[in-house]
Amino acid sequence: MPFETYVRLLVICTVTGSTALGAQAEQHRTLTGDVTDERGTPVAGAQVTIAGTLLGTQTDVIGRFRITGVADSTVTVRAMRIGFRPTSVTAERGVASVTIKLQSVPLNLDQVVVTGTAGGTQRRAVGNAIASIEASKVVETGVVSDVAQLLNGRAPGVVVHSGSGAAGSGSSIKIRGRGSIALSSDPIVYVDGIRIESTVGVGTSNDANRGARGDIVGRMSDINPDDIENVEVIKGPAAATLYGTEASNGVILITTKRGRSGATALDVTTRQGVAWERDIENRWPTSYAKDPKTGLIVTQNLAQTEAARGTPLFNTGRVQGYALGLSGASGAAYRYYLSADHDRDEGAKVGNFANRNSARASLTLTPQPSLQITGNVLLSNGGTVAPGGNELPAYPTSRPLEQDSIGRGTRERIPPEITRATWDAYTDYDRYTGGLTLNHSPTDWFTQRITMGRDVTHDNSENIFYRLAPDLARFYSATAAGGSKFVRARDVTFNTFDYGATFKHGLRDGLASETSVGGQFYSKQYVIATRYGQTFPVPSVTAIDATTNQSTTDDVIENRTAGAYVQEQLGLRDRAFLTAAVRMDKNSAFGRSFHAVVYPKFSATWVISEEPFWHLGAVNALKLRAAWGASGRQPDAYAALRAYSPILSPNGTPAVTPQFIGNQNLKPERGEEMELGFDASMLANRMNFEFTYYDKRTRDALIQRDVAPSSGYSSGSGILGGLQWVNGGSLQNRGIEAMVNGKLIERPGLEWNSTFSMSTNSNKVISLPPGVDFIAVDYLQNRFQPGYPAAAYFRKHIVSAQLDPNGRAINVMCDDGKGGSVTCDKASPVFRGRADPNVEGAFTNSVRVFGRLSLQAVVDFKQGNRLWNVNRWARCVFDLACEENVSPQKFDPRLIAEYQLGGGVDYIWNTIEDASYVKLREVSATYTLPDRFARRLGAHGAQISIAGRNLHTWTKYTGLDPEGAVLSHHNLQEEDNTVPPLTQLITTFKLTF
């Protein structure tokens, strides 16, 4: 549906609703009030609603609210806020003001969460674990620049891989492990009910082997965290059934800010800070070489020698941001939120920076108590610039014998400033996301919702190597000095239409029923064009059309999903709930012989602590829950279709040749998950516990198998011509998720809250198609092999060796995989370790002093995963620049043998290192200035904070940083010449007028 239709519908509903509102104005009143906590402190951002209607608003910064159009009769006013128990008060006829006091509780079973049905569901009735993050509070006190940083360490079971530290780079997210063999494991993302493009790995690289190196960006970085109110994470198939095909990897639901009640409020925020590579001179490896003339060993630490000569490899980048937020309301008739921001973050590499400009508008109209219309529009643009690309200024190795030469010992014999001057990488984007949601509740027992919208992104990436003048050309080959340019342009469009309705009715005393039905239509389209040209005529020309060797590609990828669901929920005395649902989906990527897929769901919850027989006083609340459900992942677009490519016949006439064989029986991967858990609060509601055990299985996993040349679809007929998509594998992910938080100290003038979260993941491949022993992951040689973790490292393992008098390895034997040894030429690779962590978590402490000063520290950790240290492999195997290479007798002969045999990847055993770490992720201090100081600035409130990020890392990993890795195929990582994550120190100042 075109966006113009949305606007017309919004105008019609507004006019109709305003007429009805005017006709009944004499029967209504304006209700005002205050919301405080038990100590009388104002509670800002609380949701205040009138029971039985859609009338509602949010409290302002001093806890006040104002709702117009309230019926002049006895009504129930309800206030809710995360971290507090929902409270209702009665406003009798003629009463114009009420006061609502909320009691703070760690466990809030009455919180409404998004589940896919109209109106949402109270947490007490939800049988699966849902992580909820109050983003507005996190952003206010921490250093958060994108959604991935917001999630990191705050949602058990959600693993964030930060990747490169270059400005503008993106992060990958996995929820409950790696759930696919051939497809991405990324979750899908919704903003205000609209499906959005959230691809990670859109960069400037044209490296066919690695797909994306240090220049990856993520489209979720386009969203300004300052505009987010909260984020909910639906973690797996048991929870994602109502989201259908594509949702088995989880769903991230982002809700942006709305207007708040009271007078118009203007927030002005500025942030200023710095970013740098912490202690890089001591983290940088030392290279070794033996002088052939003297026999002496010469060393060089390139970071130290460059810093000593006044040309450090990295500088200190400036971080800055400016934001305006305008919000207000006219009672319940309408509320609005407008924002605009500009962010510019500089990296530690000279010339690297990222810009983001965005503007957002949200308007909520309530023309009638039973009708609410919300429109959201987001406009965003920006880009990144990386002179010399996003790789390191010089590979973390050097040539010590050449440190006095013109190349200063750099591996490429090219000084870093020359690299920056000869080529650049650019990425820029423009984005529009717009949506309209209508909530209609004509009766107490019926609620319906329509959401429709569109997300449109255009991004353009360029990688240009300039034609060089003679003074620069001497550093490069003649071909490279001629220059080249690679351009990738994408136009991505997502369309969403979602309808849901919920019917509530009582069956008998204490037994209530909620029946929900709904349907969705999603479509996405990728239009991708690439151009490449080589050899410019003169240095001043950079157009591809001017090059002498050109190539182009053009592709359109489309996918559509239509689905419908029905769900029945029975509630007994608002304490025990049974839920059953079924969903049916049809996707355009399914084979013609496979028509539709059905996903069921069952869950049960019991708030046992509210039963009359419960007398365990130490446990104030206890909810038991269980859930089982299914969801899926559709194949790649066109994977099921048989295709032919155009060619010219020998006589010059048009013809076709086989390209893709297709598979008419192709069906989606199917994820099925069972989870059990409980939520509890104890010790007078001072402590809160959440625990979940999950068991997720992926069946009918999609893989690519070779096609017999006799079929005509040989490997020479196209990139995937010799491959066919088939269903034929299964994986399992098991684990636990636990979180405990509580108030360690609560007294006048001092509060201390602490949270510890942890999750585990045991991942393994269960089966592959008959005759397939394992599936190797491209050049990395990682494997999907039954009985082992997904994408596990497999390499030959040298178990014994000796050194001859010249330091050469002899009598080298390898592990035969059966407890013995065999000569290495006959050995097979053996299991080396997991690619993903099996334990992750975080420890957060926050202290509030006298209600004005807030202190917070976050420590997070990941354990059990290994990472290929390509930097060390290149230094020790190819460059022969490690101490082991010049003084082999000082080291284990097995290690020396590995380095001497490791020209390929077969023997890289020791360079696949334990990448476990504990990181001091964030430390912040936020101070709310006294009102008298704010008034001197003409403001109602003022706040200042200082925060640091990535302050220290404890790890055994010998590379620059266990997080400093790039994404490769299958979302695998490797530390390969990539700028590691930066340390940041940022001060934020906020004024509210």
Side-chain angles (χ1 to χ4, degrees), residues 129-140:
I130 295 180
S132 184
I133 301 169
E134 192 176 2
S136 57
K137 185 176 181 180
V138 174
V139 172
E140 192 173 73

Side-chain angles (χ1 to χ4, degrees), residues 619-632:
V619 181
N620 307 104
L622 176 62
K623 167 192 162 184
L624 307 178
R625 48 183 167 81
W628 177 89
S631 187

Side-chain angles (χ1 to χ4, degrees), residues 877-923:
V877 175
F878 287 106
D879 296 336
L880 305 178
C882 289
E883 187 178 7
E884 294 90 333
N885 301 119
V886 297
S887 301
Q889 292 81 2
K890 295 171 59 177
F891 298 92
D892 189 327
R894 293 173 297 179
L895 177 61
I896 303 304
E898 181 180 327
Y899 286 168
Q900 293 177 0
L901 295 175
V905 295
D906 282 350
Y907 299 93
I908 52 173
W909 180 272
N910 285 284
T911 55
I912 300 174
E913 300 184 26
D914 182 358
S916 303
Y917 68 83
V918 177
K919 182 160 290 195
L920 181 55
R921 184 69 65 182
E922 296 176 16
V923 174

